[in-house]
Amino acid sequence: MADIVLHPSQCRAGRALLGLSQTELAKLAKTARQTIVDFERGARTPYQNNLLAIRTALEAAGVEFIAENGGGAGVRLRKQAKNSVGQSGP
């Protein structure tokens, strides 16, 4: 299994884009709030299964991860389809 790539800054930014607290993300990722707190402040790197759970929870909520590719790692919100639920058509 390849290592999960997730930077603390991506976690913080992803939460901010979604308006999630650390507690809310921990619930979505089914991990301890302290895991999120420690990771985001750079105190420790979670086990791979927790990193995967955090990344998966953020992705499921609409965050896309941008690889470093020379410009630095980042995040953005996934663009919603034009005819998705809750949006009006043309």
Side-chain angles (χ1 to χ4, degrees), residues 23-65:
T23 300
E24 290 167 327
L25 177 56
K27 286 180 184 176
L28 290 174
K30 295 182 175 78
T31 189
R33 177 185 170 276
Q34 197 61 46
T35 298
I36 305 292
V37 170
D38 290 347
F39 176 54
E40 287 188 353
R41 67 183 171 95
R44 67 181 177 97
T45 300
Y47 293 115
Q48 286 292 303
N49 63 322
N50 285 332
L51 280 177
L52 177 60
I54 294 166
R55 183 175 173 128
T56 300
L58 289 169
E59 287 175 332
V63 172
E64 289 184 345
F65 291 88

